[in-house]
Amino acid sequence: MSKGIILLAAGGTGGHVFPAEALGHELKARGYSVHLVTDSRAERYAGTFPADEIHVVPSATFGSKNPIALARTGWKLWTGLRAARRLIGRLKPLAVVGFGGYPTVPPLMASTAMGVPTMIHEQNAVMGRANKALAAKVQAIAGGFLPEGSGAYADKTVTTGNPVRPAVLAASNVPYVASRGDDPFRLVVFGGSQGAQFFSSAVPTALSLLDQAERDRVVVTQQARPEDKDRVSSCFAKLKAPADISSFFSDMAERLAAAHLVICRSGASTVSEIAVIGRPAILVPYPHALDHDQAANAQALVATGGAKVVQQSDLSPEKLASIISGAMKDPEKLERMAAAAKSAGRPNATGLLADLVVAIAERKSISEFKTLADRGVHS
């Protein structure tokens, strides 16, 4: 018999849905019924999301100053708020948890107005616009990288970390073994759907500038956009450098575990996974990221010594070649960086986040929750 319903709300992108999915699995394992409220974009996740039901509630974001567009957006939000109130009234959830994105605004606004315990989870070190709009109204804020003890909502912020996939947790058990002498040096490069284009040109050019002996050691895994894949593969073929180029790797966690050095963007999930697995990284924040959240995310690894940040504008092929060459010549430094990165990892993020949700559902205060967490007591 179910302990009750927990309603999860998430925007229809992977960055919002995946941590909600991880929490959903954990809550189901603890005996709760899980429902998801989202927009129509998230229907593609229906096959894997552990929800008893998925509900689509109308929502919109204010993206234009045109009076007619503003009126339409306002009306859609009002419609969504009314629909969310009806949904919450019917389901009677123990708690509502938002994961960011504008589709979370109607259900969380409705739940706070109806006295239902609510909380939000923010993946990034900089809070997104939807979460900013909701932060003052919710009982608790869980953060992937949000600092505890500072900011406008310090009294109700708990840094739980970001939930990571089971494959990442499995990869975290693989120890880092440095490449020495003539051993292969495995370089993993990826940038997400928006951020991979820059690496498609920079990395092959950088490898062409390495000494032949260094180039002979490098084995590359690189994500490239579908339209860039053939060109990138051709560049590596001309260099006679072993390279596996794809727009998507289903086994990326295993490839990260095998990496000697990672070069990538610094999205919240990426930084969290690198930290949990524990691999040295060169982080290149996506320069067009909203609110510069990627630059802020990167600081979590930089602070421990697990990563170095290089701005894209500063990363010429010559500088990238120098970074790769220097890394290959200093395996001891990479070992230290791997250990430092792992020290920043939060492999227990999903469990801690679930503990916080249960505490909020049971109407415990944040101070009570932190006391229980410090004692290692699960709700």
Side-chain angles (χ1 to χ4, degrees):
M1 182 177 176
S2 169
K3 294 180 179 179
I5 293 174
I6 304 292
L7 182 62
L8 308 182
T13 64
H16 297 134
V17 173
F18 291 149
E21 180 179 341
L23 175 62
H25 282 292
E26 178 68 18
L27 290 172
K28 293 278 280 189
R30 297 189 186 193
Y32 292 90
S33 175
V34 173
H35 287 233
L36 172 68
V37 58
T38 183
D39 62 6
S40 57
R41 295 175 300 166
E43 290 177 355
R44 63 187 181 274
Y45 300 109
T48 58
F49 203 99
D52 295 296
E53 288 186 52
I54 296 179
H55 312 274
V56 175
V57 168
S59 187
T61 183
F62 290 100
S64 170
K65 295 182 179 179
N66 180 285
I68 296 175
L70 287 172
R72 286 174 178 167
T73 298
W75 174 253
K76 196 166 187 179
L77 285 170
W78 172 245
T79 302
L81 183 61
R82 293 181 64 187
R85 287 183 69 94
R86 290 193 298 270
L87 177 66
I88 291 167
R90 176 170 64 85
L91 295 179
K92 295 179 172 55
L94 299 174
V96 180
V97 187
F99 283 85
Y102 62 83
T104 65
V105 174
L108 268 85
M109 291 290 284
S111 59
T112 55
M114 297 169 73
V116 178
T118 58
M119 60 174 279
I120 54 176
H121 177 271
E122 173 58 58
Q123 275 194 298
N124 295 292
V126 177
M127 198 175 286
R129 287 177 292 178
N131 278 344
K132 279 182 182 177
L134 296 165
K137 300 178 181 296
V138 300
Q139 275 76 53
I141 300 170
F145 296 107
L146 293 177
E148 291 185 29
S150 62
Y153 307 107
D155 58 332
K156 58 182 176 181
T157 298
V158 179
T159 305
T160 59
N162 289 315
V164 297
R165 298 167 292 147
V168 173
L169 293 176
S172 70
N173 295 318
V174 179
Y176 182 78
V177 179
S179 170
R180 289 180 165 83
D182 295 328
D183 292 343
F185 185 88
R186 288 183 288 274
L187 182 67
V188 174
V189 183
F190 62 100
S193 57
Q194 291 181 306
Q197 182 180 11
F198 170 76
F199 295 133
S200 292
S201 297
V203 175
T205 305
L207 259 62
S208 73
L209 300 176
L210 295 179
D211 293 341
Q212 185 64 49
E214 292 174 335
R215 196 158 61 239
D216 288 343
R217 291 177 57 199
V218 178
V219 178
V220 178
T221 288
Q222 183 162 346
Q223 181 191 33
R225 301 183 307 168
E227 57 266 41
D228 295 331
K229 180 183 173 185
D230 290 344
R231 175 176 61 83
V232 176
S233 297
S234 176
C235 289
F236 282 116
K238 290 176 182 177
L239 293 172
K240 297 181 180 179
D244 196 351
I245 313 300
S246 179
S247 58
F248 178 76
F249 292 98
S250 60
D251 60 345
M252 182 56 86
E254 291 84 351
R255 290 173 183 267
L256 284 173
H260 294 111
L261 179 66
V262 180
I263 299 175
C264 61
R265 298 301 189 183
S266 51
S269 293
T270 294
V271 174
S272 298
E273 292 186 358
I274 288 172
V276 169
I277 296 172
R279 294 298 178 263
I282 305 300
L283 300 177
V284 186
Y286 184 56
H288 309 297
L290 188 66
D291 299 323
H292 303 291
D293 53 348
Q294 288 209 0
N297 295 341
Q299 293 307 310
L301 281 184
V302 173
T304 67
K308 179 179 179 181
V309 172
V310 183
Q311 300 303 322
Q312 180 172 306
S313 58
D314 297 331
L315 195 59
S316 65
E318 290 78 12
K319 181 164 185 175
L320 183 55
S322 175
I323 289 171
I324 295 171
S325 175
M328 295 175 73
K329 292 171 181 173
D330 198 347
E332 289 79 15
K333 179 179 179 180
L334 294 186
E335 285 178 326
R336 292 193 297 272
M337 288 179 69
K342 200 171 183 69
S343 72
R346 289 180 175 265
N348 63 335
T350 304
L352 188 57
L353 182 59
D355 289 346
L356 181 56
V357 172
V358 172
I360 294 303
E362 294 176 350
R363 300 179 184 267
K364 290 188 173 78
S365 68
I366 290 295
S367 59
E368 283 181 283
F369 168 77
K370 289 183 177 181
T371 300
L372 291 171
D374 289 342
R375 293 175 183 169
V377 177
H378 290 272
S379 301

